[in-house]
Amino acid sequence: MRGAAPRGVLRGGGRSRPGPGPRRAPPWWAARRSCGSASCPAAASWWRLRGAKRSRESGPSCAHPVQTDAGSFKEQSRNWHREAEFTVNIKEDVDIPSRRVLITGATGLLGRAVFKEFNQNNWNAVGCGYRRAQPKFEQINLLDSVAVHEIIRDFQPHVIVHCAAERRPDVVESQPDAASQLNVAASGNLAKEAAGIGAFLIYISTDYVFDGTNPPYKETDIPNPLNLYGKTKLEGEKAVLENNDGAAVLRIPVLYGEVERLEESAVTVMFDKVQFSNKSANMDHWQQRFPTNVKDVATVCRQLAEKRMLDPSVKGTFHWSGNEQMTKYEMACAIADAFNLPSSHLRPITDCPVMGALRPRNAQLDCSKLEMLGIGQRTPFRAGIKESLWPFLVDKRWRQTVFH
């Protein structure tokens, strides 16, 4: 639609297609020029895209076809605005933050927290996802290099936080090609696009790049992943840094937070076993984990981005983690304690797991590099897990003892 008058703006809409029926509008970020009128949806897109304050003195040139007859031009413009009026609600003199951040995987557990953190701290944040994206986020297939190029070119972010990944080790083992495409190929392409506009890319990686035999691990320690998930994330790190030497890699451990369903996190998924005390439950008591709240990781991402905007030397590999060492059995007991639930039905299993992908026994991350930069936040596990899980309490009577 280059050179044509924009027909309206629909958040998360697809490309316009020829054919009968009503015309479909492009995404809000696709409009490049507009008339600057208070009711013009293309103008709204331009101001939102650029993170600027609407004014009559400066702004995009008019995208409407200019006619010599003033009356007919006014009528055409009036009709054009009326056609698009149902899609937008614009307010005059709205300040939009000038710092722009794009978050991939914004529909996921970590991505939602990262989007919220930036959005609440004076950043113009745009999130993208795929299956669950609309209506809140942009629907982008990260394997579509053209779509990735377009949103980055049009939004011009200062920072990109790449949260999207296939993060389930057992799924990666069963679907290696698809996992490699997302974790490696898409990450390398995103890094290349970020470098093309000078954006700071934060690539989210994992503690599973280490074999867990000699913790704690510094950023300079040699990785040795035990499973395919760790290998794809390590390959993704290499692809990112090869295509963008100014990028950052942030390795993190197992996460928990405000889940939409218990299965979103390897920590919260244990809650049903904790609650249903009428049946004994075997819990792993072999692998040492450091459960980390997604809110803390989101804060670290924002602090890292803001530090980078002041200091271009902030780049490379970083580690962040909670500092409470627990097995799954100990996490389950802590969850029970947080909600005043019994834990006698939980049984610790100290043998190395034999099912599924191999896991490192203790991949503790040394976080001193970020701490020396004044970056970091840690939520105590019991406080964080209580905040995350209370909506999933089955026995509502316990809420009174927990919160009163």
Side-chain angles (χ1 to χ4, degrees):
M1 58 173 291
R2 187 181 297 274
R7 294 193 294 262
V9 181
L10 285 173
R11 180 173 175 82
R15 295 182 181 178
S16 299
R17 297 178 181 177
R23 292 179 296 177
R24 298 183 63 184
W28 63 263
W29 43 264
R32 291 182 178 79
R33 299 189 305 156
S34 68
C35 68
S37 166
S39 60
C40 178
S45 299
W46 192 93
W47 292 112
R48 182 175 178 180
L49 182 69
R50 296 297 173 224
K53 182 176 180 179
R54 183 188 296 270
S55 71
R56 298 189 180 276
E57 286 73 31
S58 61
S61 56
C62 183
H64 302 158
V66 178
Q67 299 182 11
T68 54
D69 179 68
S72 59
F73 169 75
K74 287 182 179 179
E75 182 61 29
Q76 181 178 356
S77 181
R78 189 180 300 114
N79 291 337
W80 189 89
H81 286 300
R82 189 181 300 120
E83 177 184 350
E85 188 175 354
F86 73 98
T87 64
V88 244
N89 179 20
I90 305 300
K91 294 181 180 180
E92 285 271 18
D93 298 321
V94 174
D95 284 310
I96 299 177
S98 60
R99 301 177 299 180
R100 298 179 295 278
V101 59
L102 178 69
I103 297 109
T104 72
T107 59
L109 175 61
L110 177 59
R112 295 194 304 269
V114 171
F115 178 84
K116 185 177 180 180
E117 174 69 19
F118 277 91
N119 196 47
Q120 291 181 344
N121 285 274
N122 201 33
W123 282 76
N124 181 8
V126 168
C128 61
Y130 190 47
R131 292 181 180 86
R132 298 178 291 163
Q134 297 179 333
K136 185 176 182 179
F137 301 118
E138 305 304 321
Q139 187 174 39
I140 300 292
N141 181 358
L142 293 179
L143 303 183
D144 183 345
S145 58
V146 174
V148 171
H149 174 76
E150 287 180 351
I151 192 171
I152 291 177
R153 175 197 61 190
D154 291 321
F155 184 53
Q156 293 285 310
H158 298 99
V159 175
I160 301 173
V161 184
H162 183 28
C163 300
E166 178 48 73
R167 57 174 182 78
R168 297 165 294 179
D170 295 335
V171 173
V172 175
E173 296 286 341
S174 63
Q175 302 176 25
D177 293 337
S180 180
Q181 284 292 308
L182 181 58
N183 291 357
V184 184
S187 301
N189 179 62
L190 196 63
K192 187 184 300 181
E193 293 289 348
I197 63 166
F200 177 48
L201 174 68
I202 301 175
Y203 170 76
I204 302 297
S205 190
T206 174
D207 58 345
Y208 274 27
V209 299
F210 298 111
D211 59 18
T213 59
N214 190 29
Y217 291 95
K218 291 182 176 291
E219 291 84 353
T220 52
D221 288 330
I222 299 174
N224 183 33
L226 297 180
N227 56 42
L228 191 55
Y229 166 63
K231 291 175 183 176
T232 62
K233 293 301 288 184
L234 180 59
E235 290 171 6
E237 291 183 10
K238 294 176 180 177
V240 164
L241 296 177
E242 285 172 2
N243 285 283
N244 188 338
D245 60 6
V249 170
L250 179 62
R251 294 173 180 153
I252 55 176
V254 63
L255 300 176
Y256 73 94
E258 295 180 12
V259 294
E260 293 180 346
R261 61 189 190 283
L262 293 177
E263 295 76 17
E264 268 197 302
S265 162
V267 179
T268 59
V269 73
M270 298 185 289
F271 195 34
D272 279 346
K273 289 184 178 180
V274 172
Q275 291 193 85
F276 299 121
S277 57
N278 60 330
K279 183 178 180 181
S280 63
N282 293 341
M283 311 298 295
D284 173 57
H285 196 43
W286 176 83
Q287 188 183 18
Q288 304 297 315
R289 310 301 298 272
F290 293 81
T292 303
N293 196 313
V294 289
K295 288 184 178 181
D296 298 339
V297 177
T299 297
V300 167
C301 288
R302 177 184 59 79
Q303 291 173 337
L304 191 59
E306 291 173 352
K307 182 74 71 173
R308 168 57 180 263
M309 294 186 77
L310 299 174
D311 182 1
S313 70
V314 175
K315 58 183 179 179
T317 304
F318 301 91
H319 290 171
W320 190 253
S321 171
N323 57 2
E324 296 175 78
Q325 180 174 329
M326 300 179 178
T327 63
K328 281 194 173 182
Y329 168 73
E330 290 168 331
M331 287 185 229
C333 290
I335 292 171
D337 181 65
F339 289 97
N340 297 324
L341 294 169
S343 60
S344 58
H345 64 294
L346 304 174
R347 297 176 55 202
I349 304 299
T350 57
D351 297 331
C352 175
V354 294
M355 300 292 290
L358 290 175
R359 265 79 163 171
R361 180 164 192 182
N362 185 350
Q364 180 182 7
L365 300 173
D366 183 316
C367 307
S368 57
K369 184 177 177 181
L370 278 178
E371 290 169 344
M372 290 179 65
L373 291 174
I375 291 175
Q377 172 182 293
R378 289 188 175 96
T379 302
F381 180 72
R382 282 168 176 78
I385 203 66
K386 184 185 295 185
E387 181 182 31
S388 303
L389 289 179
W390 73 264
F392 297 91
L393 270 173
V394 173
D395 190 344
K396 304 300 188 293
R397 292 174 300 174
W398 285 108
R399 297 191 181 187
Q400 292 184 349
T401 62
V402 172
F403 296 101
H404 298 285

